[in-house]
Each structure stands twice: as structure tokens, then as C-alpha cells.
Amino acid sequence: MEIKDTYKTILVSGEKVLFKDRNSKFFGYTFPITSEEEAKINIEALKKQHHSAGHWCYAWQLGTENTTYRVNDDGEPSNSAGQPIYGQIQSFEVTNILIVVVRYFGGVKLGVGGLINAYRTTAQLALEASEIVEKTINIQFTIAFEYKDMNKVMRIIKENKLNIVNQELELRCKLYLSVRKKFANKIKEVFSPLYEIKIKRLGDE
């Protein structure tokens, strides 16, 4: 079975988009995020920027294999704003992303159907205005070894084109590797027979 080890996200915030329906204005924004805290900061910044707006509705998703998400209707009828925005996150299959739609009420009620369409369309336009990239899901390993085994370790790293993200080179050396998920087991197998070299997945005790 093929291991799925890629995901889609955005690296920078997209262009602001505008959708209008019966005098109501909906501004759409996308932000790359790595935590719920970052989402809150971006939402607060937009509330300051659009302080006279009526609603700041949003949805975000975090994670690659185990995802968490949150939706918020911010005073609009239940499930008429946050959920349609989140539906576009699912439709575009992106993660580590926040979408905020800011609404200025135009004096005419749109009804629940009209709101769902407006928030969904604005989120879609915001995603279309963003550059979506594909990234790999990587596993972090640490390799611990004596300095005398350096050449042996470096040869394996070179042969397998491995990415060293950090290193501590003293008498007892430690290398931190980032390995694409689908190659993780193979890399572990390469190092495991070398009893003097200890490899472990970051997070495993």
C-alpha cells in the first residue's frame, strides 16, 4: 500500500478577495498557521483592521495526519458561515490554514441559503487567490554515535541523500535527520544493524 506522505498548504497569506451580494460585502483572507494561537492573532488583527464590520467568521485546520479544526459563525445563523468556509478547506484539501471572511451588512437580509452561498463563495475565491503548495510529511530521527564512527554515518547519509537539520559534534555525536515518511522505515533498517550507532525516532523513548 502506498504511504500518503504529502499534504497541501499555503506558505504565505493570499490576496484579499471581495464578494458582494445585495449590498453586503464579504472580504476573504487566508493565512498559513502552525498553531491555534497564530489563528487567534490573525483574527484579532483583522478585527482591528475591519473594526466597523458586523461579523468575522472563520474556519481553520491544523495537522497533517491527525487534524484538528474549528469553525465559528460569529453571530450569523448556526452553520451558515463557519461550516461553509470549512467545507472549502476540505474541498481544496489544504491544512495548516486559517480562512476568515469579514462581513459588512448591506441592509438586506440574505437568508440562511444566501449566507451559506456567500461565505462558501468568498472562501473559495480566497483559496483560488492563494498559492497552494504540496509538502512532504517528514519523520525526525536522531542518530547518536562515537566520533570515530563519523565517516561511516556520513557515508550512509550521503548515499541516501538524507537531510541533516541539526548536529551536535562532540566526543559523542548527535545528528538530527528529517526523512520523508515513506522512506522512514528503510532508513531505520539501514542504521539498525550498526550496534554502535543508535537511531531513534524523535518523540520515541
Side-chain angles (χ1 to χ4, degrees), residues 143-150 167-175 195-199:
I143 299 175
F145 54 94
E146 300 287 335
Y147 195 78
K148 64 181 172 57
D149 295 313
M150 172 72 80
Q167 53 190 25
E168 296 163 16
L169 302 179
E170 290 157 19
L171 279 173
R172 186 97 183 127
C173 302
K174 213 173 201 185
L175 294 179
Y195 71 92
E196 70 276 28
I197 297 165
K198 300 278 179 281
I199 179 165

Side-chain angles (χ1 to χ4, degrees), residues 30 32 45 69 93 105 108 112 114 128 132 140 147 154 175 193 197 199:
T30 57
Y69 75 95
E93 298 179 331
F105 182 54
V108 180
V112 170
E128 286 170 355
I132 295 170
Q140 309 289 327
Y147 195 78
M154 294 313 280
L175 294 179
I197 297 165
I199 179 165

Side-chain angles (χ1 to χ4, degrees), residues 6 12 19 22 31 38 43 54 78 82 107 113 115 127 130 133 151 160 180-181 189-190:
T6 59
V12 293
F19 175 76
R22 285 164 280 181
F31 301 93
E38 277 184 38
I43 293 161
S78 187
L115 288 172
L127 280 163
S130 304
V133 296
N151 288 346
N160 291 279
R180 189 168 168 176
K181 188 183 171 188
E189 282 162 17
V190 170

Side-chain angles (χ1 to χ4, degrees), residues 133-195:
V133 296
E134 190 168 77
K135 296 186 81 174
T136 57
I137 298 170
N138 293 340
I139 306 291
Q140 309 289 327
F141 285 108
T142 60
I143 299 175
F145 54 94
E146 300 287 335
Y147 195 78
K148 64 181 172 57
D149 295 313
M150 172 72 80
N151 288 346
K152 201 186 292 182
V153 171
M154 294 313 280
R155 189 175 70 245
I156 296 172
I157 285 173
K158 206 169 171 187
E159 282 169 2
N160 291 279
K161 299 186 175 69
L162 298 179
N163 180 27
I164 300 172
V165 289
N166 203 353
Q167 53 190 25
E168 296 163 16
L169 302 179
E170 290 157 19
L171 279 173
R172 186 97 183 127
C173 302
K174 213 173 201 185
L175 294 179
Y176 296 83
L177 304 180
S178 180
V179 179
R180 189 168 168 176
K181 188 183 171 188
K182 66 161 79 168
F183 303 128
N185 285 340
K186 176 193 164 200
I187 296 308
K188 209 162 182 187
E189 282 162 17
V190 170
F191 281 103
S192 291
L194 307 169
Y195 71 92

